Amino acid sequence: MFASSRIKPLVQCALIFLLTGGLSAVAAPNIHKVESHFIPTAETAPSRNFSRIGLSKFDGLGQPGGKQVFFVHWDPGAASVPKGSQLIFEYYQSRFPRPQGLRISYPFEITNPRKATYTIADKAFREGGPVKRWRVRLLNGNKILAEKVSPSWKK
């Protein structure tokens, strides 16, 4: 009698957990984290004859050379992510008022955790400045499967 009276509430709690979608959070695709790194380019010695090419010896100073790289760690959850899905990285740079975007399309079904890499190339970094805010979305068609945004995304 004592054991069965304790088991019944546990079964009820488990049933409520399942019916309210307790496992859906575990089963859904998830973007765990986004890492950002700046990778400087190797310094090259400037040309000695600046006047011949129409430059001052100070042109280009103060603009760091390099690229900004973002690593997006995500997994498909308990179910797989269908083939044709896309991971989209949208971002704003300090000198560009409009959003930019990079996209990775997966022509195969995803069943294991992934690490996607997005690179803001040297020229784009020099022209637009560093990325100030970003959003990553995992899409299948028009359906958003997962999303992660930087704390400053809505500003």
Side-chain angles (χ1 to χ4, degrees), residues 51-122:
S51 60
R52 206 168 94 195
I53 56 175
L55 294 175
S56 142
K57 65 181 176 181
F58 300 106
D59 283 348
L61 294 179
Q63 296 291 328
K67 57 188 173 183
Q68 196 170 7
V69 180
F70 291 84
F71 299 108
V72 178
H73 301 265
W74 68 280
D75 72 77
S80 63
V81 170
K83 85 178 196 179
S85 296
Q86 299 179 342
L87 192 65
I88 299 173
F89 181 74
E90 298 170 274
Y91 61 95
Y92 286 88
Q93 289 177 274
S94 61
R95 290 191 286 274
F96 287 153
R98 292 198 169 104
Q100 308 291 316
L102 297 171
R103 169 186 319 255
I104 296 176
S105 295
Y106 293 95
F108 48 87
E109 182 179 20
I110 305 295
T111 57
N112 296 317
R114 310 289 293 182
K115 178 181 170 184
T117 304
Y118 295 96
T119 303
I120 312 304
D122 187 30

Side-chain angles (χ1 to χ4, degrees), residues 34-51:
V34 177
E35 299 174 293
S36 172
H37 300 280
F38 177 72
I39 301 172
T41 56
E43 294 294 324
T44 56
S47 168
R48 288 187 173 182
N49 192 352
F50 295 104
S51 60

